[in-house]
Amino acid sequence: MTHTHIAGSLHADYSGIQPQWLQWPEDLNALDAKLWPRGTHRDDEGRVVVGGSTLEDLVAEHGSPSYFIDEADFRSRCADFREAFPGWKIFYAAKSLLTRTIARWVAEEGLNLDVTTMGEMRIALAGGMPAERLGFHGNNKSDEEIVFALEQGVGRIIVDSFHEIERIEAHCEAGGHKARVMVRVTTGVEAHTHEYIATAHEDQKFGLSITGGQALAGLVRCHHSPHMELEGIHSHSGSQIFETMGFEVAIRRTLKLAHQFKTATGVELPALDLGGGFGIAYTEADTPKPTGEIAEAFEEMIAHECRAFGLRRPELSIEPGRAISGPAGVAVYTVGTVKAVELEGNKTRTYVSVDGGMSDNIRPALYAAEYSAVLAGRTSDAEPVLCRVVGKHCEGGDILIRSVFLPGDIRIGDLIAVPGSGAYARSMASNYNQVPRPPVVGIKDGTSSVLLRRETLDDLMRLDVGE
Ligand SMILES: *Cc1c(COP(=O)(O)O)cnc(C)c1O
């Protein structure tokens, strides 16, 4: 193996296979605070402690792999948004992670909740979230879902098409309901994020286009509907956005639309929702802005645009999902095999196989999401080696972490902790290869409680009702 000097240390040559953003690690045992639940540290024996318990003890109790959610961290991120955005309504995006207990935490923290399906509505309500604090999203809501939402009295329905407007009106007429609605618009913003998670550019399935005129037509249509009370405009630009620039364009275009609506109807829209998408750190290379800074930038832009268009400041809301649930969650896996693969140019990539994979975190395979990892059960002074953490599924793309430095003495039985796993991991999990899905375990002050139990083979067998 060839060796090179970087920053004074002697190590293997990974040029060409080491991504540019991935730095040679100063200290493999260090825990970068921006990645982990607040207060995460190593104890005297080098074991990672989250929410007052070592991950080793938690795995001994709950098994591997598991998702551990630090309740205090989750709640503190709710509080961050509440405090940074005083007077705003904060809707936690249920799709990032939802159980009944989490719905309760969100309700207790004074936040509202975004839901998209019957399943999310039912779990939110079962967790004690009042219906009037729900925002109901979706580009293809079923009649059953619309009727249920109207009967329960959800706070707002975010309408996404003219067909949906007609369907809501019909159900309001039949059931004697009045629907409070917002109109989801596409602003044409090209948020700098992966194509599949950018949602405000024109050529995709969500919302009504501002530039095409459908957005204004939809707003006017809802305004004149005897069955609807129009709250205002909804815009969601995408996910994992780091620059407030994307939001700036969305703010300008939605308020310009509000101005056009006022010109057309003589009425000012009372509310504006700017969606979610606040980026979090999955690796050291990610640098999310503090919530307070985002809030300040938003306030400034909104004040500026309202002045420019002669509008009163609307009632404002945002919908963070991953920024609350993501950093609160840690996934823990157990190493099953370690394999050094020789590549061209005398390079070696170490494949570390764990007991989960794309069934419990599809994001790396789905949109090339990056993650980081550390050894959770011990520290090591071994030389860092460039690893690829892969799962147990029959699929070459079953990659959890494409590139990460781990200690060269990594071995079977080691625990690997992946921060940032609270959002969109369990909620997008599948049973690929008939693998039961891992549990979601809440942790707090050294105690743990199962929020969502581990699936069993019996669960899978029970679904299989064929002869
Ligand atoms: C997904 C989604 C969110 C939350 O996105 P995050 O990236 O988790 O903040 C908010 N609003 C809408 C409409 C969404 O579809």
Side-chain angles (χ1 to χ4, degrees):
M1 198 182 285
T2 51
H3 286 78
T4 47
H5 279 282
I6 294 184
S9 74
L10 184 71
H11 64 81
D13 175 17
Y14 296 115
S15 55
I17 60 169
Q18 178 179 344
Q20 272 179 347
W21 59 263
L22 183 65
Q23 299 291 311
W24 179 258
E26 293 286 312
D27 175 5
L28 278 179
N29 303 316
L31 301 171
D32 185 346
K34 72 183 174 189
L35 300 174
W36 296 90
R38 289 162 178 161
T40 300
H41 61 279
R42 287 190 189 269
D43 67 8
D44 294 342
E45 274 126 84
R47 299 172 302 189
V48 176
V49 177
V50 182
S53 302
T54 67
L55 292 175
E56 192 175 74
D57 286 346
L58 288 167
V59 166
E61 184 173 352
H62 299 284
S64 169
S66 288
Y67 310 100
F68 298 105
I69 309 293
D70 183 336
E71 177 179 344
D73 184 271
F74 185 102
R75 287 181 183 270
S76 75
R77 291 174 203 273
C78 291
D80 285 353
F81 275 99
R82 211 177 49 223
E83 285 156 20
F85 288 89
W88 293 52
K89 278 188 187 162
I90 316 289
F91 287 79
Y92 167 70
K95 69 180 193 219
S96 69
L97 179 69
L98 184 69
T99 72
R100 283 187 300 164
T101 308
I102 285 172
R104 176 169 61 76
W105 294 350
V106 172
E108 286 169 358
E109 290 302 321
L111 271 57
N112 306 280
L113 192 73
D114 261 0
V115 292
T116 312
T117 59
M118 181 67 88
E120 288 177 355
M121 275 191 282
R122 293 289 296 272
I123 288 174
L125 294 169
M129 176 60 76
E132 62 267 22
R133 282 160 65 186
L134 295 181
F136 181 31
H137 281 268
N139 65 303
N140 189 17
K141 303 174 184 77
S142 71
D143 288 314
E144 189 194 5
E145 287 169 334
I146 291 170
V147 169
F148 183 78
L150 290 170
E151 283 174 352
Q152 294 293 318
V154 303
R156 57 166 67 150
I157 301 178
I158 294 84
V159 302
D160 199 277
S161 68
F162 289 100
H163 284 133
E164 186 187 336
I165 293 173
E166 282 168 20
R167 294 228 308 280
I168 292 172
E169 285 186 312
H171 291 306
C172 282
E173 176 133 30
H177 305 289
K178 189 145 188 172
R180 239 179 306 154
V181 302
M182 295 191 109
V183 174
R184 170 121 179 215
V185 305
T186 49
T187 57
V189 172
E190 303 273 350
H192 290 272
T193 184
H194 191 278
E195 182 191 352
Y196 290 0
I197 51 179
T199 56
H201 60 293
E202 300 289 342
D203 188 8
Q204 45 85 24
K205 70 173 185 171
F206 292 110
L208 297 175
S209 163
I210 293 183
T211 50
Q214 291 90 345
L216 181 59
L219 287 165
V220 171
R221 173 89 164 68
C222 293
H223 171 64
H224 289 304
S225 170
H227 303 294
M228 292 181 166
E229 188 186 320
L230 177 61
E231 284 203 334
I233 298 168
H234 184 285
S235 160
H236 173 66
S237 300
S239 281
Q240 193 58 357
I241 299 169
F242 288 103
E243 300 304 321
T244 44
M245 271 283 290
F247 288 106
E248 186 177 355
V249 179
I251 288 167
R252 182 172 320 125
R253 293 186 185 163
T254 49
L255 286 172
K256 183 176 175 196
L257 176 62
H259 171 71
Q260 288 166 341
F261 178 87
K262 186 180 172 185
T263 307
T265 62
V267 174
E268 270 194 44
L269 289 170
L272 172 66
D273 189 308
L274 293 168
F278 308 101
I280 64 165
Y282 287 104
T283 75
E284 287 185 24
D286 295 328
T287 50
K289 284 191 169 47
T291 314
E293 258 177 58
I294 299 170
E296 228 168 86
F298 276 27
E299 288 287 4
E300 216 166 279
M301 295 182 231
I302 288 160
H304 181 266
E305 298 302 328
C306 281
R307 235 178 291 123
F309 291 114
L311 297 168
R312 282 190 300 272
R313 182 182 186 279
E315 284 169 34
L316 294 158
S317 48
I318 45 169
E319 307 174 321
R322 116 187 35 229
I324 293 172
S325 57
V330 177
V332 182
Y333 304 90
T334 305
V335 174
T337 68
V338 180
K339 191 190 283 181
V341 176
E342 301 295 330
L343 308 176
E344 255 175 70
N346 237 349
K347 312 264 191 326
T348 304
R349 194 197 304 282
T350 302
Y351 277 79
V352 175
S353 299
V354 297
D355 51 355
M358 64 194 295
S359 59
D360 61 72
N361 190 347
I362 190 68
R363 296 186 66 257
L366 186 61
Y367 23 71
E370 300 286 357
Y371 283 88
S372 51
V374 299
L375 285 191
R378 64 184 177 98
T379 54
S380 167
D381 296 325
E383 173 169 355
V385 291
L386 185 64
C387 294
R388 181 160 287 175
V389 180
V390 297
K392 62 184 276 121
H393 297 280
C394 292
E395 184 105 12
D398 175 24
I399 294 169
L400 275 175
I401 310 181
R402 194 164 299 275
S403 300
V404 62
F405 282 108
L406 289 168
D409 64 350
I410 187 163
R411 56 187 183 238
I412 294 169
D414 270 334
L415 296 181
I416 287 189
V418 179
S421 298
Y424 303 107
R426 180 58 178 81
S427 70
M428 296 178 95
S430 75
N431 291 122
Y432 185 39
N433 282 142
Q434 304 294 351
V435 172
R437 289 172 294 181
V440 176
V441 180
I443 50 178
K444 187 189 178 189
D445 299 333
T447 64
S448 64
S449 59
V450 178
L451 308 187
L452 211 54
R453 72 163 167 81
R454 184 184 300 282
E455 264 177 345
T456 63
L457 286 175
D458 280 345
D459 291 327
L460 300 186
M461 294 297 285
R462 262 202 297 276
L463 292 173
D464 190 331
V465 295
E467 302 273 297

